[in-house]
Amino acid sequence: MTGWQMLFYKEVLRFWKVGFQTVAAPVITAILYMMIFGHVLEDRVQVYGSVSYTAFLLPGLVMMSVLQNAFANSSSSLIQSKVMGNLVFLLLTPLSHRAWFVAYVGSSVVRGLAVGAGVMLVTWWFARPTVVAPVWIVVFGVMGAALLGALGVIAGLWAEKFDQMAAFQNFVIVPMTFLSGVFYSIHSLPVVWQQVSHLNPFFYMIDGFRYGFFGVSDVSPWISLVLVGAALAAVSAVALYLLRTGYKIRH
């Protein structure tokens, strides 16, 4: 293996060794969301014409799981290595900052998609939405996981303690995910909150992902693709810059 492949393999093995915690637990959480929200709101919420609320909810839960776990993978790996002091062993290697980026973000994509696939398989029993455009599902799934993996790299480099990382996740990632249209269509919101939702990049990832299932969405999937692509490029550029300069890891 080359250097980045070995680091990538190590990062995948890291989360896979505790798969019950990193993969199975998020799947169980998604099942609980599906059971509670699907049961309570099935007959009370109407979205996309003939699409049932439970079917509408499934892609949102899948994408939410992908995003949250992709972020958790890279951010937790870096903060654990910094706190435990074993990050120095990576600094001794001749790996470039690009190799670090590819390995950490790549493993985050693998974990995010693994959790998403698990959520899809288990919750398919509750509702079976049609798959209209599978290419859009794959594109937004991979781009969303990569974007959150890169954001996790930034957060992992910035945080110096576990409570700082927890604060970043609880006050940034979780609210932006829950307010992105996972459980509702933004057209059901007042106009002012619809406009606020359009400022949330997580909304475009989930809305574009959902388009692949139903062929309808709150905004054009092409607009979502451009905005998510731009966000991915910007966040990746910041993460690469921080890795290149050794931000908070070379002291």
Side-chain angles (χ1 to χ4, degrees):
M1 292 185 182
T2 61
W4 75 265
Q5 290 174 330
M6 182 59 73
L7 181 56
F8 170 78
Y9 176 74
K10 172 254 183 185
E11 286 299 308
V12 171
L13 194 64
R14 183 190 68 87
F15 80 79
W16 194 253
K17 282 288 187 178
V18 287
F20 189 80
Q21 174 187 348
T22 57
V23 178
V27 172
I28 294 174
T29 301
I31 294 174
L32 295 176
Y33 280 129
M34 178 65 77
M35 293 175 62
I36 295 171
F37 283 91
H39 174 72
V40 173
L41 300 176
E42 174 66 28
D43 299 326
R44 293 184 173 91
V45 179
Q46 185 72 25
V47 289
Y48 296 164
S50 60
V51 177
S52 69
Y53 178 73
T54 304
F56 170 86
L57 185 60
L58 190 151
L61 288 177
V62 171
M63 194 59 174
M64 180 181 75
S65 302
V66 170
L67 299 179
Q68 290 183 345
N69 284 275
F71 174 84
N73 192 72
S74 55
S75 61
S76 63
S77 179
L78 281 169
I79 189 63
Q80 287 173 8
S81 295
K82 289 170 66 177
V83 172
M84 297 176 66
N86 57 33
L87 192 63
V88 65
F89 297 113
L90 280 181
L91 292 174
L92 294 174
T93 66
L95 293 176
S96 68
H97 64 284
R98 295 184 184 87
W100 282 46
F101 179 82
V102 171
Y104 279 107
V105 175
S107 60
S108 297
V109 171
V110 172
R111 176 175 168 181
L113 295 182
V115 173
V119 173
M120 175 69 73
L121 290 174
V122 174
T123 56
W124 200 263
W125 182 80
F126 294 91
R128 298 184 179 182
T130 57
V131 178
V132 175
V135 174
W136 286 106
I137 295 174
V138 174
V139 168
F140 279 102
V142 173
M143 290 181 64
L147 174 55
L148 267 293
L151 188 60
V153 170
I154 296 174
L157 293 173
W158 165 79
E160 298 177 351
K161 299 181 292 184
F162 287 110
D163 58 343
Q164 290 179 329
M165 180 56 62
F168 192 98
Q169 186 154 8
N170 292 331
F171 293 105
V172 178
I173 302 300
V174 173
M176 292 183 71
T177 304
F178 274 80
L179 298 176
S180 60
V182 172
F183 302 100
Y184 54 86
S185 169
I186 66 167
H187 290 308
S188 63
L189 300 175
V191 175
V192 62
W193 288 110
Q194 291 185 35
Q195 296 173 347
V196 172
S197 296
H198 282 94
L199 301 177
N200 184 357
F202 286 42
F203 159 72
Y204 298 99
M205 289 183 271
I206 292 176
D207 194 57
F209 185 78
R210 186 176 276 133
Y211 175 85
F213 289 89
F214 307 116
V216 292
S217 56
D218 291 327
V219 298
S220 168
W222 292 104
I223 294 177
S224 296
L225 181 65
V226 170
L227 293 176
V228 172
L232 174 58
V235 173
S236 297
V238 173
L240 284 166
Y241 173 77
L242 295 180
L243 287 170
R244 181 173 60 85
T245 57
Y247 177 70
K248 289 193 175 182
I249 57 177
R250 292 180 179 172
H251 60 76

Short mmCIF file of all heavy atoms in Angstrom, two decimals, residues 54-80:
data_model
loop_
_atom_site.label_atom_id
_atom_site.label_comp_id
_atom_site.label_asym_id
_atom_site.label_seq_id
_atom_site.Cartn_x
_atom_site.Cartn_y
_atom_site.Cartn_z
N THR A 54 -44.31 8.88 5.86
CA THR A 54 -43.28 7.92 6.24
C THR A 54 -42.29 7.73 5.10
O THR A 54 -41.07 7.67 5.32
CB THR A 54 -43.91 6.57 6.61
OG1 THR A 54 -44.86 6.76 7.67
CG2 THR A 54 -42.85 5.59 7.09
N ALA A 55 -42.79 7.64 3.87
CA ALA A 55 -41.89 7.52 2.71
C ALA A 55 -41.06 8.78 2.54
O ALA A 55 -39.87 8.71 2.21
CB ALA A 55 -42.71 7.25 1.45
N PHE A 56 -41.66 9.95 2.78
CA PHE A 56 -40.93 11.21 2.70
C PHE A 56 -39.83 11.27 3.75
O PHE A 56 -38.74 11.79 3.51
CB PHE A 56 -41.92 12.37 2.90
CG PHE A 56 -41.28 13.71 3.09
CD1 PHE A 56 -40.93 14.49 1.99
CD2 PHE A 56 -41.02 14.21 4.37
CE1 PHE A 56 -40.35 15.75 2.17
CE2 PHE A 56 -40.43 15.45 4.55
CZ PHE A 56 -40.10 16.22 3.45
N LEU A 57 -40.11 10.72 4.93
CA LEU A 57 -39.17 10.80 6.04
C LEU A 57 -37.94 9.94 5.82
O LEU A 57 -36.84 10.29 6.25
CB LEU A 57 -39.89 10.37 7.32
CG LEU A 57 -39.13 10.47 8.64
CD1 LEU A 57 -38.72 11.91 8.92
CD2 LEU A 57 -40.00 9.94 9.79
N LEU A 58 -38.09 8.82 5.13
CA LEU A 58 -37.00 7.85 5.01
C LEU A 58 -35.74 8.44 4.39
O LEU A 58 -34.65 8.32 4.97
CB LEU A 58 -37.48 6.62 4.23
CG LEU A 58 -36.56 5.40 4.22
CD1 LEU A 58 -37.38 4.12 4.07
CD2 LEU A 58 -35.54 5.47 3.09
N PRO A 59 -35.79 9.10 3.21
CA PRO A 59 -34.55 9.67 2.65
C PRO A 59 -33.91 10.72 3.56
O PRO A 59 -32.68 10.82 3.62
CB PRO A 59 -35.02 10.29 1.32
CG PRO A 59 -36.29 9.59 1.00
CD PRO A 59 -36.93 9.30 2.31
N GLY A 60 -34.73 11.50 4.25
CA GLY A 60 -34.19 12.50 5.16
C GLY A 60 -33.41 11.87 6.30
O GLY A 60 -32.33 12.34 6.66
N LEU A 61 -33.95 10.79 6.86
CA LEU A 61 -33.24 10.11 7.94
C LEU A 61 -31.96 9.47 7.45
O LEU A 61 -30.94 9.47 8.15
CB LEU A 61 -34.15 9.04 8.56
CG LEU A 61 -35.32 9.56 9.41
CD1 LEU A 61 -36.17 8.39 9.89
CD2 LEU A 61 -34.80 10.37 10.59
N VAL A 62 -32.00 8.91 6.24
CA VAL A 62 -30.79 8.30 5.68
C VAL A 62 -29.71 9.35 5.51
O VAL A 62 -28.56 9.16 5.94
CB VAL A 62 -31.10 7.63 4.33
CG1 VAL A 62 -29.81 7.19 3.63
CG2 VAL A 62 -32.01 6.42 4.53
N MET A 63 -30.05 10.49 4.91
CA MET A 63 -29.06 11.52 4.66
C MET A 63 -28.58 12.16 5.96
O MET A 63 -27.39 12.49 6.10
CB MET A 63 -29.64 12.58 3.73
CG MET A 63 -28.60 13.51 3.14
SD MET A 63 -27.35 12.62 2.19
CE MET A 63 -26.42 13.97 1.50
N MET A 64 -29.47 12.34 6.91
CA MET A 64 -29.06 12.88 8.20
C MET A 64 -28.03 11.97 8.86
O MET A 64 -27.03 12.45 9.41
CB MET A 64 -30.28 13.04 9.12
CG MET A 64 -29.94 13.62 10.49
SD MET A 64 -31.38 13.79 11.58
CE MET A 64 -31.62 12.06 12.03
N SER A 65 -28.25 10.67 8.79
CA SER A 65 -27.31 9.71 9.37
C SER A 65 -25.98 9.76 8.64
O SER A 65 -24.91 9.68 9.26
CB SER A 65 -27.90 8.30 9.31
OG SER A 65 -29.13 8.23 10.00
N VAL A 66 -26.02 9.89 7.32
CA VAL A 66 -24.78 9.98 6.53
C VAL A 66 -23.97 11.19 6.95
O VAL A 66 -22.76 11.11 7.22
CB VAL A 66 -25.11 10.05 5.02
CG1 VAL A 66 -23.85 10.40 4.22
CG2 VAL A 66 -25.68 8.72 4.53
N LEU A 67 -24.61 12.34 7.04
CA LEU A 67 -23.91 13.58 7.35
C LEU A 67 -23.33 13.57 8.75
O LEU A 67 -22.16 13.91 8.96
CB LEU A 67 -24.86 14.77 7.18
CG LEU A 67 -25.46 14.98 5.78
CD1 LEU A 67 -26.40 16.18 5.78
CD2 LEU A 67 -24.36 15.17 4.74
N GLN A 68 -24.13 13.20 9.73
CA GLN A 68 -23.67 13.25 11.11
C GLN A 68 -22.52 12.28 11.35
O GLN A 68 -21.56 12.59 12.08
CB GLN A 68 -24.83 12.96 12.06
CG GLN A 68 -25.86 14.07 12.11
CD GLN A 68 -26.96 13.81 13.11
OE1 GLN A 68 -27.14 12.68 13.58
NE2 GLN A 68 -27.74 14.82 13.43
N ASN A 69 -22.59 11.09 10.75
CA ASN A 69 -21.55 10.10 11.01
C ASN A 69 -20.28 10.38 10.20
O ASN A 69 -19.18 10.03 10.64
CB ASN A 69 -22.09 8.71 10.71
CG ASN A 69 -23.00 8.21 11.80
OD1 ASN A 69 -22.57 7.65 12.79
ND2 ASN A 69 -24.30 8.42 11.61
N ALA A 70 -20.42 10.99 9.03
CA ALA A 70 -19.22 11.39 8.29
C ALA A 70 -18.46 12.45 9.07
O ALA A 70 -17.22 12.41 9.16
CB ALA A 70 -19.61 11.92 6.91
N PHE A 71 -19.18 13.40 9.64
CA PHE A 71 -18.52 14.42 10.47
C PHE A 71 -17.88 13.80 11.69
O PHE A 71 -16.73 14.12 12.05
CB PHE A 71 -19.53 15.48 10.89
CG PHE A 71 -18.98 16.49 11.87
CD1 PHE A 71 -18.27 17.58 11.42
CD2 PHE A 71 -19.16 16.32 13.23
CE1 PHE A 71 -17.75 18.51 12.31
CE2 PHE A 71 -18.63 17.23 14.13
CZ PHE A 71 -17.93 18.33 13.67
N ALA A 72 -18.60 12.91 12.35
CA ALA A 72 -18.09 12.31 13.59
C ALA A 72 -16.82 11.50 13.34
O ALA A 72 -15.94 11.44 14.20
CB ALA A 72 -19.16 11.42 14.22
N ASN A 73 -16.69 10.89 12.16
CA ASN A 73 -15.55 10.03 11.91
C ASN A 73 -14.23 10.80 11.89
O ASN A 73 -13.31 10.51 12.65
CB ASN A 73 -15.73 9.29 10.59
CG ASN A 73 -14.73 8.18 10.42
OD1 ASN A 73 -14.82 7.14 11.07
ND2 ASN A 73 -13.76 8.37 9.55
N SER A 74 -14.13 11.80 11.04
CA SER A 74 -12.87 12.54 10.93
C SER A 74 -12.60 13.40 12.16
O SER A 74 -11.46 13.48 12.64
CB SER A 74 -12.88 13.41 9.67
OG SER A 74 -14.01 14.27 9.65
N SER A 75 -13.65 14.03 12.70
CA SER A 75 -13.44 14.91 13.86
C SER A 75 -13.02 14.11 15.09
O SER A 75 -12.09 14.50 15.81
CB SER A 75 -14.72 15.70 14.15
OG SER A 75 -15.80 14.83 14.45
N SER A 76 -13.67 12.98 15.35
CA SER A 76 -13.33 12.20 16.54
C SER A 76 -11.95 11.59 16.41
O SER A 76 -11.20 11.50 17.40
CB SER A 76 -14.37 11.09 16.76
OG SER A 76 -14.38 10.17 15.67
N SER A 77 -11.56 11.16 15.21
CA SER A 77 -10.25 10.57 15.02
C SER A 77 -9.15 11.57 15.33
O SER A 77 -8.18 11.27 16.04
CB SER A 77 -10.09 10.04 13.60
OG SER A 77 -8.81 9.49 13.40
N LEU A 78 -9.28 12.78 14.81
CA LEU A 78 -8.25 13.80 15.02
C LEU A 78 -8.18 14.25 16.47
O LEU A 78 -7.09 14.38 17.03
CB LEU A 78 -8.51 15.00 14.10
CG LEU A 78 -8.08 14.81 12.64
CD1 LEU A 78 -8.62 15.94 11.77
CD2 LEU A 78 -6.55 14.77 12.54
N ILE A 79 -9.32 14.50 17.11
CA ILE A 79 -9.28 14.99 18.48
C ILE A 79 -8.76 13.91 19.42
O ILE A 79 -8.01 14.19 20.36
CB ILE A 79 -10.67 15.50 18.93
CG1 ILE A 79 -10.57 16.20 20.29
CG2 ILE A 79 -11.68 14.39 19.00
CD1 ILE A 79 -9.72 17.44 20.30
N GLN A 80 -9.10 12.65 19.17
CA GLN A 80 -8.57 11.57 20.00
C GLN A 80 -7.06 11.45 19.84
O GLN A 80 -6.33 11.26 20.82
CB GLN A 80 -9.25 10.25 19.62
CG GLN A 80 -10.68 10.11 20.09
CD GLN A 80 -11.36 8.87 19.57
OE1 GLN A 80 -10.72 8.01 18.96
NE2 GLN A 80 -12.67 8.77 19.77
#
